[in-house]
mmCIF file of all heavy atoms in Angstrom:
data_model
loop_
_atom_site.group_PDB
_atom_site.id
_atom_site.type_symbol
_atom_site.label_atom_id
_atom_site.label_comp_id
_atom_site.label_asym_id
_atom_site.label_seq_id
_atom_site.Cartn_x
_atom_site.Cartn_y
_atom_site.Cartn_z
ATOM 1 N N THR P 266 9.837 -2.624 -21.797
ATOM 2 C CA THR P 266 10.635 -3.844 -21.901
ATOM 3 C C THR P 266 12.112 -3.420 -21.810
ATOM 4 O O THR P 266 12.941 -4.060 -21.167
ATOM 5 C CB THR P 266 10.394 -4.631 -23.173
ATOM 6 O OG1 THR P 266 8.944 -4.767 -23.290
ATOM 7 C CG2 THR P 266 10.960 -5.977 -23.097
ATOM 8 N N ALA P 267 12.442 -2.297 -22.569
ATOM 9 C CA ALA P 267 13.879 -1.889 -22.497
ATOM 10 C C ALA P 267 14.198 -1.468 -21.134
ATOM 11 O O ALA P 267 15.417 -1.722 -20.654
ATOM 12 C CB ALA P 267 14.024 -0.717 -23.562
ATOM 13 N N LEU P 268 13.375 -0.783 -20.419
ATOM 14 C CA LEU P 268 13.609 -0.300 -19.024
ATOM 15 C C LEU P 268 13.848 -1.501 -18.193
ATOM 16 O O LEU P 268 14.766 -1.556 -17.323
ATOM 17 C CB LEU P 268 12.319 0.393 -18.629
ATOM 18 C CG LEU P 268 12.357 1.092 -17.193
ATOM 19 C CD1 LEU P 268 13.293 2.152 -17.145
ATOM 20 C CD2 LEU P 268 10.961 1.470 -16.796
ATOM 21 N N LEU P 269 13.056 -2.591 -18.322
ATOM 22 C CA LEU P 269 13.192 -3.789 -17.533
ATOM 23 C C LEU P 269 14.516 -4.514 -17.832
ATOM 24 O O LEU P 269 15.227 -4.973 -16.977
ATOM 25 C CB LEU P 269 11.958 -4.703 -17.934
ATOM 26 C CG LEU P 269 11.582 -5.756 -16.910
ATOM 27 C CD1 LEU P 269 11.263 -5.132 -15.642
ATOM 28 C CD2 LEU P 269 10.455 -6.590 -17.543
ATOM 29 N N THR P 270 14.886 -4.484 -19.099
ATOM 30 C CA THR P 270 16.185 -5.188 -19.487
ATOM 31 C C THR P 270 17.369 -4.408 -18.901
ATOM 32 O O THR P 270 18.288 -5.080 -18.453
ATOM 33 C CB THR P 270 16.300 -5.204 -21.009
ATOM 34 O OG1 THR P 270 15.064 -5.666 -21.562
ATOM 35 C CG2 THR P 270 17.378 -6.249 -21.455
ATOM 36 N N ARG P 271 17.349 -3.117 -19.019
ATOM 37 C CA ARG P 271 18.424 -2.269 -18.438
ATOM 38 C C ARG P 271 18.647 -2.577 -16.977
ATOM 39 O O ARG P 271 19.682 -2.744 -16.416
ATOM 40 C CB ARG P 271 18.189 -0.756 -18.671
ATOM 41 C CG ARG P 271 18.596 -0.261 -19.999
ATOM 42 C CD ARG P 271 18.756 1.246 -20.043
ATOM 43 N NE ARG P 271 17.538 2.002 -19.467
ATOM 44 C CZ ARG P 271 16.508 2.273 -20.272
ATOM 45 N NH1 ARG P 271 16.497 1.843 -21.479
ATOM 46 N NH2 ARG P 271 15.520 2.909 -19.745
ATOM 47 N N THR P 272 17.445 -2.656 -16.303
ATOM 48 C CA THR P 272 17.564 -2.856 -14.831
ATOM 49 C C THR P 272 18.064 -4.259 -14.490
ATOM 50 O O THR P 272 18.851 -4.331 -13.687
ATOM 51 C CB THR P 272 16.054 -2.728 -14.231
ATOM 52 O OG1 THR P 272 15.528 -1.502 -14.666
ATOM 53 C CG2 THR P 272 16.101 -2.712 -12.696
ATOM 54 N N ALA P 273 17.557 -5.196 -15.240
ATOM 55 C CA ALA P 273 18.009 -6.620 -14.987
ATOM 56 C C ALA P 273 19.560 -6.721 -15.236
ATOM 57 O O ALA P 273 20.166 -7.457 -14.536
ATOM 58 C CB ALA P 273 17.274 -7.559 -15.902
ATOM 59 N N ARG P 274 20.077 -5.973 -16.108
ATOM 60 C CA ARG P 274 21.538 -6.071 -16.486
ATOM 61 C C ARG P 274 22.345 -5.473 -15.335
ATOM 62 O O ARG P 274 23.432 -5.951 -15.089
ATOM 63 C CB ARG P 274 21.810 -5.298 -17.772
ATOM 64 C CG ARG P 274 22.714 -5.959 -18.701
ATOM 65 C CD ARG P 274 22.884 -5.144 -19.965
ATOM 66 N NE ARG P 274 21.954 -5.455 -21.015
ATOM 67 C CZ ARG P 274 21.328 -4.582 -21.799
ATOM 68 N NH1 ARG P 274 21.638 -3.280 -21.629
ATOM 69 N NH2 ARG P 274 20.424 -4.957 -22.619
ATOM 70 N N ARG P 275 21.802 -4.456 -14.645
ATOM 71 C CA ARG P 275 22.576 -3.782 -13.641
ATOM 72 C C ARG P 275 22.405 -4.558 -12.217
ATOM 73 O O ARG P 275 23.275 -4.404 -11.376
ATOM 74 C CB ARG P 275 22.098 -2.430 -13.364
ATOM 75 C CG ARG P 275 22.575 -1.406 -14.475
ATOM 76 C CD ARG P 275 22.752 -0.017 -13.828
ATOM 77 N NE ARG P 275 21.515 0.323 -13.083
ATOM 78 C CZ ARG P 275 20.457 1.086 -13.562
ATOM 79 N NH1 ARG P 275 20.554 1.368 -14.745
ATOM 80 N NH2 ARG P 275 19.463 1.357 -12.822
ATOM 81 N N HIS P 276 21.304 -5.274 -12.029
ATOM 82 C CA HIS P 276 21.163 -5.954 -10.705
ATOM 83 C C HIS P 276 21.008 -7.417 -10.898
ATOM 84 O O HIS P 276 20.333 -7.835 -11.851
ATOM 85 C CB HIS P 276 19.922 -5.297 -10.055
ATOM 86 C CG HIS P 276 19.977 -3.898 -9.865
ATOM 87 N ND1 HIS P 276 20.512 -3.250 -8.724
ATOM 88 C CD2 HIS P 276 19.570 -2.857 -10.660
ATOM 89 C CE1 HIS P 276 20.446 -1.934 -8.965
ATOM 90 N NE2 HIS P 276 19.867 -1.696 -10.047
ATOM 91 N N ARG P 277 21.501 -8.177 -9.940
ATOM 92 C CA ARG P 277 21.399 -9.638 -10.077
ATOM 93 C C ARG P 277 19.955 -10.035 -9.694
ATOM 94 O O ARG P 277 19.032 -9.642 -10.429
ATOM 95 C CB ARG P 277 22.372 -10.327 -9.246
ATOM 96 C CG ARG P 277 23.772 -10.496 -10.026
ATOM 97 C CD ARG P 277 24.880 -10.830 -9.160
ATOM 98 N NE ARG P 277 26.091 -10.587 -9.944
ATOM 99 C CZ ARG P 277 26.627 -11.457 -10.784
ATOM 100 N NH1 ARG P 277 26.086 -12.627 -10.916
ATOM 101 N NH2 ARG P 277 27.678 -11.245 -11.474
ATOM 102 N N SER P 278 19.783 -10.846 -8.752
ATOM 103 C CA SER P 278 18.487 -11.529 -8.538
ATOM 104 C C SER P 278 17.327 -10.536 -8.527
ATOM 105 O O SER P 278 17.226 -9.713 -7.600
ATOM 106 C CB SER P 278 18.619 -12.208 -7.122
ATOM 107 O OG SER P 278 19.217 -11.393 -6.204
ATOM 108 N N PRO P 279 16.405 -10.765 -9.471
ATOM 109 C CA PRO P 279 15.288 -9.838 -9.574
ATOM 110 C C PRO P 279 14.215 -10.057 -8.456
ATOM 111 O O PRO P 279 14.085 -11.186 -8.058
ATOM 112 C CB PRO P 279 14.664 -10.174 -10.967
ATOM 113 C CG PRO P 279 15.181 -11.560 -11.253
ATOM 114 C CD PRO P 279 16.416 -11.774 -10.512
ATOM 115 N N GLY P 280 13.639 -8.989 -8.005
ATOM 116 C CA GLY P 280 12.523 -9.093 -7.006
ATOM 117 C C GLY P 280 11.155 -9.305 -7.661
ATOM 118 O O GLY P 280 11.025 -9.406 -8.857
ATOM 119 N N PRO P 281 10.169 -9.432 -6.757
ATOM 120 C CA PRO P 281 8.810 -9.791 -7.288
ATOM 121 C C PRO P 281 8.247 -8.863 -8.377
ATOM 122 O O PRO P 281 7.548 -9.295 -9.263
ATOM 123 C CB PRO P 281 7.875 -9.787 -6.013
ATOM 124 C CG PRO P 281 8.706 -9.256 -4.930
ATOM 125 C CD PRO P 281 10.193 -9.379 -5.303
ATOM 126 N N TYR P 282 8.423 -7.561 -8.300
ATOM 127 C CA TYR P 282 7.852 -6.713 -9.245
ATOM 128 C C TYR P 282 8.524 -6.819 -10.578
ATOM 129 O O TYR P 282 7.884 -6.747 -11.602
ATOM 130 C CB TYR P 282 7.887 -5.192 -8.748
ATOM 131 C CG TYR P 282 7.064 -4.928 -7.598
ATOM 132 C CD1 TYR P 282 7.642 -4.732 -6.266
ATOM 133 C CD2 TYR P 282 5.635 -5.019 -7.587
ATOM 134 C CE1 TYR P 282 6.878 -4.574 -5.159
ATOM 135 C CE2 TYR P 282 4.862 -4.923 -6.474
ATOM 136 C CZ TYR P 282 5.481 -4.643 -5.212
ATOM 137 O OH TYR P 282 4.699 -4.457 -4.140
ATOM 138 N N GLN P 283 9.864 -6.992 -10.561
ATOM 139 C CA GLN P 283 10.551 -7.216 -11.812
ATOM 140 C C GLN P 283 10.059 -8.474 -12.466
ATOM 141 O O GLN P 283 9.888 -8.516 -13.622
ATOM 142 C CB GLN P 283 12.049 -7.196 -11.588
ATOM 143 C CG GLN P 283 12.681 -5.937 -11.295
ATOM 144 C CD GLN P 283 14.087 -6.103 -10.818
ATOM 145 O OE1 GLN P 283 15.012 -6.146 -11.656
ATOM 146 N NE2 GLN P 283 14.382 -6.289 -9.547
ATOM 147 N N LEU P 284 9.860 -9.548 -11.653
ATOM 148 C CA LEU P 284 9.426 -10.794 -12.320
ATOM 149 C C LEU P 284 8.075 -10.675 -12.804
ATOM 150 O O LEU P 284 7.798 -11.261 -13.892
ATOM 151 C CB LEU P 284 9.546 -11.840 -11.198
ATOM 152 C CG LEU P 284 10.943 -12.267 -10.763
ATOM 153 C CD1 LEU P 284 11.017 -13.131 -9.511
ATOM 154 C CD2 LEU P 284 11.642 -13.037 -11.965
ATOM 155 N N GLN P 285 7.189 -9.992 -12.120
ATOM 156 C CA GLN P 285 5.776 -9.878 -12.621
ATOM 157 C C GLN P 285 5.835 -9.070 -13.925
ATOM 158 O O GLN P 285 5.084 -9.360 -14.803
ATOM 159 C CB GLN P 285 4.848 -9.130 -11.608
ATOM 160 C CG GLN P 285 4.491 -10.009 -10.465
ATOM 161 C CD GLN P 285 3.598 -9.320 -9.448
ATOM 162 O OE1 GLN P 285 2.420 -9.123 -9.790
ATOM 163 N NE2 GLN P 285 4.091 -8.849 -8.376
ATOM 164 N N ALA P 286 6.741 -8.110 -13.963
ATOM 165 C CA ALA P 286 6.866 -7.235 -15.194
ATOM 166 C C ALA P 286 7.368 -8.124 -16.359
ATOM 167 O O ALA P 286 6.945 -7.998 -17.445
ATOM 168 C CB ALA P 286 7.704 -6.049 -14.917
ATOM 169 N N ALA P 287 8.304 -8.939 -15.993
ATOM 170 C CA ALA P 287 8.912 -9.827 -17.012
ATOM 171 C C ALA P 287 7.837 -10.727 -17.588
ATOM 172 O O ALA P 287 7.771 -11.094 -18.790
ATOM 173 C CB ALA P 287 10.099 -10.645 -16.441
ATOM 174 N N ILE P 288 6.889 -11.221 -16.691
ATOM 175 C CA ILE P 288 5.776 -12.104 -17.148
ATOM 176 C C ILE P 288 4.897 -11.341 -18.088
ATOM 177 O O ILE P 288 4.511 -11.775 -19.210
ATOM 178 C CB ILE P 288 5.054 -12.711 -15.982
ATOM 179 C CG1 ILE P 288 5.905 -13.720 -15.251
ATOM 180 C CG2 ILE P 288 3.716 -13.440 -16.447
ATOM 181 C CD1 ILE P 288 5.389 -14.100 -13.875
ATOM 182 N N ALA P 289 4.538 -10.084 -17.587
ATOM 183 C CA ALA P 289 3.744 -9.324 -18.485
ATOM 184 C C ALA P 289 4.412 -8.980 -19.818
ATOM 185 O O ALA P 289 3.768 -8.975 -20.911
ATOM 186 C CB ALA P 289 3.408 -7.924 -17.749
ATOM 187 N N ALA P 290 5.743 -8.766 -19.788
ATOM 188 C CA ALA P 290 6.487 -8.566 -21.081
ATOM 189 C C ALA P 290 6.398 -9.725 -21.966
ATOM 190 O O ALA P 290 6.263 -9.542 -23.150
ATOM 191 C CB ALA P 290 7.886 -8.145 -20.773
#
Side-chain angles (χ1 to χ4, degrees):
Chain P
T266 310
L268 182 67
L269 202 58
T270 314
R271 278 201 303 279
T272 310
R274 223 178 274 140
R275 283 208 314 265
H276 303 271
R277 273 165 194 275
S278 43
Y282 295 110
Q283 287 171 88
L284 289 167
Q285 287 182 75
I288 292 167

